[in-house]
Amino acid sequence: MLRGVYAGKKKGIRSLVIVVSEDERKKCLEFASEEGVEAMSYSSTVKPREAVQLFRDGVGDVLIGTESQYGEGIDLPDGIAGFTFYLRPGYPSPEDPQSQFEERRLGNSRWAVWTWRVITKMLQARGRTIRSTADKGCIFLMSQQFKRFTYGGLPKWLQPAYVYTKSLDECIQDGVKLLKSKSHS
């Protein structure tokens, strides 16, 4: 994932990284530092909305946060974050009391409910940079788990853009071409 952020950085494309857990966010921040990628995120001294504003103002190569903070409610259009990397679906923990209740109450049908929630979160993540047919941006769904439901969960106008047969490197190359074509049109 950070390989894609770094490749985008070299081409002048900034990124948004959405992870599920706080541990994943901290690991991404560590990896970004090791790779020489300037990461912006929230902290004990910077609130999530302040980090977004700093990123909008040009601070950082990548904005990193959890889906609870950056999965919805923020807009990064017009190349502010041309690439969005979404790490994995946020299925609930089996130890969570709500998950246990839903398992008892719904049985195997719980997976349909949980998948519907994950689809909704995926669509929200996509909406941080791509809100209409006029917007250009790329969302990279990093987990193979997304393949089961992504195409069917996308709006019809976005389904033709869904690619799942290429490697990450090929998708990044295509994304760079797409986003760079915007600046020349």
Side-chain angles (χ1 to χ4, degrees):
M1 176 170 55
L2 284 175
R3 185 173 79 231
V5 170
Y6 185 74
K9 172 189 170 179
K10 289 188 338 189
K11 299 293 185 178
I13 299 169
R14 298 167 76 219
S15 300
L16 168 65
V17 171
I18 300 173
V19 296
V20 175
S21 74
E22 181 63 13
D23 286 341
E24 292 166 343
R25 183 184 76 89
K26 288 177 181 176
K27 286 178 186 171
C28 280
L29 289 169
E30 287 175 31
F31 292 148
S33 177
E34 290 170 7
E35 295 298 318
V37 173
E38 185 183 348
M40 173 53 59
S41 192
Y42 42 89
S43 66
S44 60
T45 58
V46 178
K47 294 179 180 172
R49 295 275 177 205
E50 292 169 347
V52 170
Q53 189 56 52
L54 288 167
F55 187 73
R56 281 189 186 127
D57 292 343
V59 177
D61 302 313
V62 59
L63 177 64
I64 300 173
T66 61
E67 65 184 8
S68 64
Q69 294 296 335
Y70 294 157
E72 61 181 275
I74 63 168
D75 294 326
L76 302 170
D78 301 325
I80 294 171
F83 287 171
T84 298
F85 294 88
Y86 191 17
L87 183 60
R88 65 179 176 88
Y91 287 107
S93 167
E95 289 83 33
D96 180 64
Q98 181 177 339
S99 300
Q100 293 173 359
F101 170 78
E102 290 174 342
E103 184 175 353
R104 284 191 309 275
R105 180 81 171 148
L106 302 172
N108 282 338
S109 297
R110 72 187 181 279
W111 285 105
V113 172
W114 293 349
T115 299
W116 175 80
R117 289 179 188 149
V118 167
I119 290 170
T120 301
K121 288 178 184 179
M122 181 268 301
L123 291 172
Q124 285 293 327
R126 180 261 321 160
R128 299 315 86 226
T129 56
I130 305 168
R131 304 188 68 79
S132 75
T133 56
D135 296 326
K136 285 189 180 179
C138 300
I139 181 165
F140 298 89
L141 304 172
M142 300 305 295
S143 171
Q144 291 292 321
Q145 291 177 309
F146 283 112
K147 281 174 81 172
R148 290 186 309 114
F149 55 78
T150 297
Y151 183 81
L154 290 173
K156 295 273 186 234
W157 63 269
L158 202 48
Q159 286 178 343
Y162 178 60
V163 176
Y164 61 91
T165 57
K166 294 184 177 184
S167 71
L168 177 60
D169 290 335
E170 291 171 320
C171 289
I172 290 167
Q173 288 174 359
D174 287 353
V176 167
K177 288 178 192 171
L178 171 77
L179 294 176
K180 290 302 176 179
S181 72
K182 177 181 181 182
S183 63
H184 294 102
S185 46

